[in-house]
Amino acid sequence: KQEVTQIPAALSVPEGENLVLNCSFTDSAIYNLQWFRQDPGKGLTSLLLIQSSQREQTSGRLNASLDKSSGRSTLYIAASQPGDSATYLCALETSGSRLTFGEGTQLTVNP
Amino acid sequence: GAVVSQHPSRVICKSGTSVKIECRSLDFQATTMFWYRQFPKQSLMLMATSNEGSKATYEQGVEKDKFLINHASLTLSTLTVTSAHPEDSSFYICSAGTRGLTTDTQYFGPGTRLTVL
């Protein structure tokens, strides 16, 4: 059974800092890995999707990496802003389009 | 494009009543729809997967007679929580999947907050 762990559970940083969120998983037989953002009481916004054959993806100030051999992914956020405050979830897609989510990292960026 | 809506966004009901939540893909036809449940401070847990015109596949530990899923068309799936109890209070999120050239993509709805008194 796939298990997904995100560290840290919560993170508070001053505006402008670069930061890294971590995601680890136990089963490397994945189709892809996604990072999502969830604002309080809201649904999910997809940020980045890394295919199983890829090592990283970039979108603006966000960069996500994937290392299947070690079962790890990181989400790097450059020059953080208060608007980045949200919960960040990583999710792995396995067979049947099933997504297994981590418990998320709650990020607070202080102005 | 690829918008998924849920209705209602918030519902409060008395214990013992049934509640229906709708999930619609507004501008595309969904191959598959997924229903998730999220308790406070916890992650999303997949409850069931449904394909249009066929019975839903429930995850282990999810009671199919309590959580009725109907997937009548390629743009609409409903989740009915029957005889709801306070422990069913949660945030329910649906997603609609499309089959792409290289991957299947899921688009998530905004969620429904259910509170059972």
Side-chain angles (χ1 to χ4, degrees):
Chain A
K1 179 186 174 185
Q2 181 72 273
E3 293 183 7
V4 183
T5 304
Q6 290 188 244
I7 294 173
L11 181 63
S12 181
V13 300
E15 182 177 4
E17 264 201 19
N18 303 324
L19 56 100
V20 175
L21 308 181
N22 299 288
C23 173
S24 61
F25 49 95
T26 56
D27 186 351
S28 62
I30 63 173
Y31 290 107
N32 59 56
L33 182 147
Q34 288 191 69
W35 282 93
F36 292 90
R37 168 187 173 135
Q38 184 177 31
D39 292 286
K42 305 291 185 183
L44 304 182
T45 300
S46 180
L47 298 173
L48 290 165
L49 182 151
I50 310 177
Q51 299 285 359
S52 175
S53 58
Q54 297 176 324
R55 302 273 304 178
E56 67 176 335
Q57 282 286 335
T58 298
S59 176
R61 294 183 292 108
L62 306 179
N63 175 276
S65 68
L66 173 63
D67 184 345
K68 282 186 13 177
S69 62
S70 65
R72 296 178 188 275
S73 175
T74 61
L75 177 67
Y76 175 81
I77 302 177
S80 58
Q81 303 170 357
D84 295 331
S85 298
T87 295
Y88 290 80
L89 298 163
C90 73
L92 284 83
E93 180 178 343
T94 55
S95 62
S97 301
R98 298 175 71 253
L99 291 179
T100 302
F101 285 84
E103 293 193 351
T105 293
Q106 186 173 352
L107 173 65
T108 303
V109 181
N110 302 300
Chain B
V3 177
V4 176
S5 70
Q6 281 186 241
H7 178 78
S9 59
R10 190 180 291 268
V11 57
I12 301 173
C13 69
K14 292 182 179 180
S15 184
T17 60
S18 294
V19 175
K20 180 185 285 188
I21 303 170
E22 290 186 351
C23 176
R24 293 181 185 272
S25 56
L26 298 184
D27 49 3
F28 66 100
Q29 292 186 327
T31 312
T32 308
M33 286 188 171
F34 303 85
W35 286 95
Y36 296 84
R37 179 168 51 183
Q38 185 179 32
F39 291 108
K41 302 292 186 183
Q42 295 186 25
S43 190
L44 280 73
M45 297 298 294
L46 180 65
M47 299 175 66
T49 303
S50 73
N51 294 292
E52 183 261 344
S54 62
K55 289 184 178 180
T57 301
Y58 290 81
E59 295 299 300
Q60 191 173 9
V62 179
E63 299 174 57
K64 63 180 181 179
D65 294 329
K66 180 168 184 62
F67 299 99
L68 301 179
I69 292 174
N70 182 280
H71 196 160
S73 74
L74 286 172
T75 59
L76 173 64
S77 176
T78 60
L79 168 68
T80 301
V81 183
T82 62
S83 187
H85 291 284
E87 58 265 29
D88 299 322
S89 298
S90 186
F91 193 55
Y92 292 86
I93 302 178
C94 74
S95 71
T98 63
R99 199 170 299 279
L101 291 176
T102 58
T103 187
D104 297 342
T105 302
Q106 288 187 38
Y107 298 95
F108 285 80
T112 296
R113 172 75 59 194
L114 170 63
T115 302
V116 184
L117 302 177

